[in-house]
Amino acid sequence: MNQSALLRPDWTPATVVLMVLGFMVFWPLGLAMLAYILFGERFKGFKRDANQTADTIFAKCRGAGFRSRPHFSTGNVAFDDWRKAELDRIEAERRKLDEMRDEFDGYMRELRRAKDQEEFDRFMRDRNAKRDQNNGSIEPYTQA
């Protein structure tokens, strides 16, 4: 199982354990984990934007060698044009991969929802079958 599936913003055993440990170690950590569990789905775009901003800042620092010039040029126009085209192509590929990942995440959410619905339907069928066997009276549900 990969890290994104293990620490998705949901009530998974891993996130609950991390939240409890966070509260035990330093309460703001537990509170931060609770916020991630409750509101994590809303911050996907924020994370992507923050990563892109950080990548841009570091790329400018690395490319310019901490010079004051905002656009680093090698002096060779053909190479600079080729480099810009390649970087644009790579960015387009990255956007496609991000879109594919979002589609897959949606697909997995839908699979989880379908599985939950199937389990609920099975529970209701079993419950109705027990009620029919007991001539309409409903027994308290006991886990087998």
Side-chain angles (χ1 to χ4, degrees):
M1 184 177 282
N2 63 17
Q3 182 183 13
S4 65
L6 186 62
L7 293 178
R8 65 184 184 273
D10 199 4
W11 292 100
T12 63
T15 56
V16 172
V17 167
L18 286 173
M19 181 183 65
V20 170
L21 287 174
F23 276 116
M24 290 172 51
V25 172
F26 184 58
W27 69 268
L29 293 176
L31 194 61
M33 192 64 202
L34 178 62
Y36 174 72
I37 291 170
L38 295 176
F39 305 111
E41 287 291 326
R42 298 179 186 172
F43 294 119
K44 275 185 181 178
F46 173 76
K47 179 183 174 189
R48 188 176 320 124
D49 293 342
N51 285 339
Q52 286 176 351
T53 302
D55 290 345
T56 303
I57 290 170
F58 287 118
K60 285 181 181 178
C61 291
R62 188 175 45 248
F66 297 100
R67 296 182 190 127
S68 60
R69 295 188 315 194
H71 301 288
F72 180 69
S73 174
T74 62
N76 185 325
V77 177
F79 176 77
D80 289 342
D81 291 344
W82 173 82
R83 184 181 65 182
K84 183 182 179 320
E86 285 297 306
L87 290 174
D88 291 345
R89 182 187 62 79
I90 291 170
E91 183 61 29
E93 284 292 317
R94 190 166 81 86
R95 277 194 302 272
K96 282 198 293 189
L97 287 173
D98 286 343
E99 290 171 4
M100 289 171 59
R101 185 186 64 221
D102 291 342
E103 289 175 16
F104 182 72
D105 288 345
Y107 175 75
M108 291 303 293
R109 272 193 305 278
E110 187 61 29
L111 279 180
R112 276 188 230 106
R113 191 204 59 75
K115 181 182 175 215
D116 291 345
Q117 183 67 46
E118 189 269 327
E119 289 174 352
F120 174 74
D121 291 343
R122 186 175 353 129
F123 165 75
M124 291 302 289
R125 279 193 309 271
D126 292 347
R127 180 174 175 264
N128 290 337
K130 284 183 182 181
R131 185 179 57 197
D132 291 343
Q133 289 175 353
N134 295 332
N135 297 327
S137 65
I138 299 176
E139 291 182 16
Y141 181 72
T142 55
Q143 199 170 14

